[in-house]
Amino acid sequence: MGFYFAQLLTGLANASSLFLIASGLSIIFGVTRIVNFAHGSFYMVGAYLTYTLVTMWSGSVLGFWGGVILAAAAVGLLGLVIELTILRRIYKAPELFQLVATFGVVLIVQDVTLAIWGAEDLLGPRAPGLDRAVRIMGEPIPEYDLALIAIGPAVLLAIWLLFHRTRWGVLVRAATQDREMVGALGVNQAWLFSAAFVLGAFLAGLGGALQIPREAVSLQMDLSIIGEAFVVVVIGGMGSVSGAFVAAVLISVLNAFAILVFPQISIVLPFVVMAVVLIVRPYGLFGKPGSEHGAPEEPDQPLTLMSQRSAMVLATAVALLALSPAVAADFTMILLVDVMVATLFAVSLHFMMGIGGMVSFGHAAYFGVGAYGAAMAVKFFDFGMLPAMVFGPVCAATAAIFFGWFCVRLSGVYLAMLTLAAAQILWGVTFQWQDFTGGDDGILGVWPAKWASSDQVYFYVAFVLCIGGIWFLRRAAHSPFGYTLRGIRDSQTRAEAIGINTNLHQWMGFALAGGFAGLAGVVFAFSKGSVFPDSLGIAQSIDGLIMVLLGGIHALAGPIFGAVAFVMIEDWVTRLDYWRFIFGAIILIVVLLAPDGIAGGVRRLLRAVKGGAA
């Protein structure tokens, strides 16, 4: 009994740490509706700053706790700077823009942190006065864990008093429920948003600061915590701090006991719990209808058929691509295959989001399932290249049909988070199932057939599959099915009123996009000769979102422009020192200065040329 009670206390200590960062994230989303991926960066910076201050003032209780509070306050100021300079400009942007912009901040902060503190993990000192263990029911319990168990509820109480006993807190709660009404009453929403963002950043920094006696401070802290923080916020209900506390306790305690029975489940358990909660209660445990939506989407112009001149330009570009092996070096052809794979992946994601209106944070799941399906067909069933290339997309479409059935019943951020949960569950299974998927070692030896083994021949295989897939999705966008999806995206209520089965159409659109993402994964697997779990990871999904945004989400040509630019920029930037900083800066420039992407810029340029010619 003592052992299980000790596990319970460990789970509660972890819950307090998780609650601190999740509460800040919930406050920020509740007021500003920003999907803040950079919240993990605040957590990481808080840990690094605390390490510096505590080691400087080592040996005293006041030095440790003073360093913790000072570091959290400094992170709050950092949050204010980021809010004023970047996020204030995108409050009215769609969730996709917000997510990608904050991911750009993540990349910049990572390289700044690397430049200041270096790449090595840092081991912080224990908290003075709390560096021992006490025995409870015969089991040793760290004193610091008991302190954390007390800190979590204390912070929850402080937040409750702030929100219910101060005028500012009342305004924040009002803004969470109806921002427009608060603005109509004359409240300065800009400063209200800034104050809420500072509080959220402070709580994230405090969470990171309190972790230094428990774990090493590293550059991986930001991305390792943000997934779980999003899970907690979504389970609790977007904007609900008390919901975040309950969800943090639920996740942490379940994980503390589940790890005893099935250690491998710890990677995916939070996402499994989130998926179950969202399926049973779509708004989270304490969420309310309407809380799933961030900023309103910009209305799209009707789709128009390509002009004769544009069609000629496109045909010329495709012909030049087809002829490129005659003059291109081997490395260039490999890069061009990467470009075609990325383009098909981005176009499939754009079909889901731009045409279907279903924002996905986990589209890489189907890219990876397609790649693994083909690789397993070769490894276990001794399939040839062509049968495997058919089997992979079928696997991806099947997975998309299964997960899409649940996803299309949600909307907004909750839909996006359920797609992320599906991707993380698949990633966790792939990572842990060593005997079948190879685990972290992946599956090797997935090479093209002998007749397609040369770079030139495989280029044409990729050309036919990728360009054919892009053409099919474009035709689907202009078909009655595509226009029906756009009608559902623009007004689901009106679509239902005229007798359209909205769930069925979105489900089929989800499956179609997943199948073609799987086709991109198949071409990628055979081009590289191997497949690894990161093909299903969050980073791969974020890459797809960046491609769509970079090119322009409101144009069919947007993902094509975006994918080409992304692969070329990535190939150039990753050879440089501090490439994350450069890449993050490029992302922010695009989001802030050219929100309609490359396609929008090309459209404006053509209009200017026509105007000048006239």
Side-chain angles (χ1 to χ4, degrees), residues 522-594:
V522 168
V523 177
F524 177 81
F526 279 102
S527 70
K528 304 303 178 185
S530 57
V531 58
F532 296 95
D534 57 3
S535 63
L536 300 94
I538 293 177
Q540 181 73 21
S541 295
I542 295 295
D543 286 350
L545 292 170
I546 293 173
M547 292 176 207
V548 173
L549 174 62
L550 190 61
I553 193 172
H554 298 299
L556 287 180
I560 299 174
F561 286 124
V564 173
F566 178 87
V567 175
M568 294 301 181
I569 292 172
E570 185 181 45
D571 180 67
W572 166 65
V573 167
T574 51
R575 304 177 190 181
L576 306 175
D577 293 333
Y578 301 112
W579 65 270
R580 294 179 185 84
F581 185 96
I582 300 171
F583 202 62
I586 292 172
I587 292 172
L588 290 180
I589 290 171
V590 171
V591 171
L592 298 178
L593 301 182

Side-chain angles (χ1 to χ4, degrees), residues 20 35 110 301 305 321 441 458 499 508 515 562:
L20 290 176
V35 184
Q110 276 189 342
Q301 296 298 318
L305 294 174
L321 179 62
D441 296 328
Y458 191 76
M508 293 300 99

